[in-house]
Amino acid sequence: MAFKNGFLWGGAVAANQLEGAYNVDGKGLSIADVLRGGNVNTPRVIDENGPIEGMNYPSWEAIDFYHRFEGDIELFAQMGFKCFRTSIAWSRIFPQGDESEPNEAGLAFYDRLFDCMLKHNIEPVITLSHFEMPLGLVTKYGGWTNRKCIDFFVRFAKVCFERYQNKVKYWMTFNEINNQSDVFFPFVVWTDSGIKFKDSDDFATRRRIMLQAAHHEFVASARAVAIGRSINKDFRIGCMIGFVPVYPKTSDPDDILAAQRAMEERWYFTDVHVNGEYGSYAKRIWDEAGGAPQMAPSDLAELKMGTVDYVGFSYYMSRCVSAQAVNSTPINFLGDTKNDYVKESDWGWAIDPKGLRYVLRSIDGRYNGIDQFIVENGLGAYDKLDDNGMVQDTYRIDYLRAHIEQMKLAVDVDGVNLLGYTPWGCIDLVSAGTGEMEKRYGFIYVDKDNQGNGTLNRSKKLSFDWYKKVIASNGEDLS
Ligand code: BG6
């Protein structure tokens, strides 16, 4: 058998994309609550000064998991989930972000949720910050540009670690902390760090701001890890990287160098989390941006004290770059170009299962066999109910099967240490990138459309029983 006993099969979601109940039980607004719905052609608008009446904010209701989680967890248990990855909405616990005392009603909700999972023998895997910092920290402090956010985050982390120390063992600090390096995509810098650039900010300015925010997050993560360990030595605390591997377009040495440079945008983040220090190439990245981030004297020592136990990452796609494409437009500083060897999803995401094996081997080699956790993977697709009310999502099964096959090779043949696999959006939820409901990932269909119409009823897709069989056979039966 490729996967050891205890391999953590499950599914993944994030609070802001499924809970809804955006203002219930004392919850404050988060940065996700001011993101309007968009679609594949229409970027989401950020209302950074607060919601505007009459606009559509998909996170407000989402799939109302807040009130329906018991039924949903029951369905996950039917599939045989060993674990379930979700996040704690920071603004349920600290509604504005800077309070000195937490909101008890928010804490109590996650007690109920984790108890329900544990009752079904489902291990919680918890992200502390998944694109949902309190909006108050943005309007009052400027988001992660402000060093004060380190203390606010660490207070939040400590409260969660203490409260759930006997319920949660697996943690992650910041979801896809590296997304923000694409500084010309306003959405990712907002969701990671609560920062909205001015249109007039040039490349170097944006990069300096982003690198400073990331530095604050690194220190916050390291400090949280160190505190977490002192609360419960059995905690396993990881980082979470959006791991999109980058290939050279050709064997032209210039393309190879372009791909190497682009990969540094991934390693920059992973290296700090795993090694507790910036890689030597960080100096080049800082020079390009016109200066290194400002650091307090103790920061580098703190980074060393809070290295992670495992690398959690999402894998959806690979990218391809060419030297010729570098700076072909102001936003294409890494030189993205089309890969002729892979197909794409309806949202233009390259479908590349072998890229997953490549990532697993790359992380394994770079960090000497560190534990890894695939905490997101999946296919966003337009699903249609057939006459029997069933979604025949064979395309999703094909996608997942192909990725699990590569994951098996990485474990079995390459010897990678893999803790688990949690496909993204195991129940249909709001897309982070577009705000749509109709970009669906789930094994469970949720009756709701992009305009917010629908009963919110849940039903099983074809992939539901398929994944159940995969789990029951510990990944041996993928037919
Ligand atoms: C990751 C995020 O970027 O990808 C999730 O961690 C997100 O929050 C997922 O939902 C899929 O992206 P999208 O844009 O299809 O929802």
Side-chain angles (χ1 to χ4, degrees):
M1 209 177 262
F3 301 106
K4 14 181 210 263
N5 284 334
F7 186 79
L8 290 169
W9 296 97
V13 299
N16 73 87
Q17 291 173 251
L18 91 167
E19 284 179 3
Y22 80 107
N23 61 357
V24 171
D25 290 339
K27 181 181 173 299
L29 286 175
S30 81
I31 56 172
D33 296 328
V34 293
L35 278 173
R36 293 189 210 165
N39 62 43
V40 65
N41 301 313
T42 319
R44 303 187 74 175
V45 172
I46 304 168
D47 290 323
E48 72 274 20
N49 297 319
I52 296 175
E53 211 182 313
M55 293 302 160
N56 167 27
Y57 299 104
S59 67
W60 285 16
E61 179 188 60
I63 63 163
D64 195 29
F65 181 78
Y66 193 84
H67 297 110
R68 297 165 192 246
F69 70 84
E70 286 176 339
D72 294 338
I73 301 288
E74 161 72 35
L75 287 168
F76 300 152
Q78 280 181 31
M79 270 187 281
F81 277 22
K82 311 287 181 215
C83 75
F84 175 55
R85 173 183 178 232
T86 188
S87 58
I88 296 177
W90 187 349
S91 59
R92 286 200 194 282
I93 312 303
F94 289 97
Q96 301 302 316
D98 60 354
E99 296 88 344
S100 51
E101 292 304 320
N103 171 33
E104 175 54 34
L107 288 167
F109 167 69
Y110 291 103
D111 271 323
R112 294 197 297 278
L113 176 60
F114 300 155
D115 288 344
C116 178
M117 289 186 213
L118 294 169
K119 187 178 84 186
H120 289 287
N121 297 316
I122 295 176
E123 176 101 44
V125 176
I126 301 304
T127 318
L128 286 166
S129 182
H130 191 131
F131 301 169
E132 56 213 353
M133 77 187 297
L135 185 65
L137 293 183
V138 173
T139 46
K140 234 166 128 182
Y141 300 93
W144 279 100
T145 56
N146 192 325
R147 204 180 156 86
K148 288 195 174 126
C149 282
I150 299 176
D151 291 334
F152 298 136
F153 174 81
V154 171
R155 184 183 299 161
F156 162 60
K158 186 163 183 267
V159 163
C160 294
F161 289 151
E162 279 173 346
R163 176 80 170 218
Y164 308 120
Q165 58 180 297
N166 299 318
K167 299 182 182 180
V168 179
K169 173 176 172 182
Y170 292 93
W171 299 89
M172 275 165 278
T173 50
F174 292 94
N175 185 66
E176 292 188 340
I177 186 171
N178 59 307
N179 285 2
Q180 55 193 324
S181 78
D182 274 338
V183 290
F184 280 101
F185 295 96
F187 168 77
V188 292
V189 192
W190 176 257
T191 48
D192 270 355
S193 290
I195 295 168
K196 202 170 166 195
F197 295 127
K198 294 196 273 303
D199 287 346
S200 57
D201 286 340
D202 63 8
F203 174 74
T205 307
R206 290 174 189 228
R207 292 281 291 180
R208 268 200 314 282
I209 294 171
M210 179 278 292
L211 293 166
Q212 185 66 59
H215 178 73
H216 293 150
E217 287 157 10
F218 289 144
V219 174
S221 173
R223 201 180 291 170
V225 169
I227 290 175
R229 280 206 189 105
S230 71
I231 293 171
N232 184 342
K233 64 175 178 25
D234 294 330
F235 278 173
R236 308 286 324 270
I237 311 177
C239 57
M240 199 307 202
I241 307 290
F243 219 109
V244 181
V246 186
Y247 305 147
K249 176 87 174 169
T250 71
S251 51
D252 176 342
D254 283 335
D255 285 353
I256 307 286
L257 282 170
Q260 187 179 49
R261 168 68 191 86
M263 280 301 279
E264 286 169 357
E265 292 293 309
R266 310 279 173 275
W267 298 128
Y268 181 89
F269 294 85
T270 328
D271 282 353
V272 178
H273 279 304
V274 176
N275 297 333
E277 61 188 20
Y278 286 100
S280 52
Y281 56 88
K283 164 106 177 45
R284 277 202 309 278
I285 290 180
W286 295 337
D287 287 348
E288 270 174 27
Q294 290 182 353
M295 301 186 194
S298 57
D299 282 2
L300 294 180
E302 278 210 77
L303 295 182
K304 271 282 179 208
M305 299 291 293
T307 55
V308 292
D309 297 313
Y310 65 93
V311 175
F313 68 90
S314 62
Y315 178 79
Y316 292 92
M317 64 185 131
S318 55
R319 273 160 81 165
C320 179
V321 296
S322 80
Q324 222 184 5
V326 170
N327 291 326
S328 57
T329 67
I331 66 167
N332 201 9
F333 76 101
L334 293 177
D336 261 302
T337 185
K338 197 172 158 31
N339 183 345
D340 302 325
Y341 294 90
V342 298
K343 295 204 177 79
E344 292 182 346
S345 78
D346 290 335
W347 280 263
W349 291 17
I351 300 175
D352 176 18
K354 288 185 183 157
L356 176 58
R357 185 177 182 191
Y358 174 72
V359 169
L360 287 161
R361 282 166 42 160
S362 302
I363 294 172
D364 185 73
R366 192 174 183 99
Y367 304 119
N368 202 19
I370 192 168
D371 281 346
Q372 301 185 53
F373 203 149
I374 303 168
V375 294
E376 290 185 30
N377 173 234
L379 178 71
Y382 296 106
D383 289 341
K384 286 226 160 34
L385 290 170
D386 68 12
D387 293 344
N388 301 318
M390 172 62 110
V391 175
Q392 305 285 344
D393 56 344
T394 48
Y395 38 89
R396 181 166 295 108
I397 294 173
D398 291 344
Y399 178 101
L400 294 171
R401 180 192 295 117
H403 285 78
I404 295 172
E405 278 167 0
Q406 293 302 315
M407 175 170 108
K408 265 175 104 165
L409 289 170
V411 170
D412 216 13
V413 178
D414 306 331
V416 163
N417 294 310
L418 188 61
L419 298 172
Y421 177 69
T422 56
W424 175 252
C426 46
I427 180 166
D428 291 348
L429 40 53
V430 175
S431 155
T434 64
E436 291 165 285
M437 268 307 297
E438 290 165 21
K439 186 181 187 187
R440 298 176 185 275
Y441 286 87
F443 303 111
I444 299 164
Y445 184 86
V446 177
D447 178 30
K448 185 171 177 181
D449 65 17
N450 285 352
Q451 287 68 45
N453 305 310
T455 60
L456 289 174
N457 284 346
R458 278 62 164 153
S459 57
K460 298 173 187 175
K461 302 182 194 175
L462 191 69
S463 55
F464 185 100
D465 282 332
W466 174 80
Y467 192 46
K468 180 176 175 177
K469 193 173 58 180
V470 172
I471 297 177
S473 64
N474 200 16
E476 291 300 303
D477 186 356
L478 302 177
S479 60

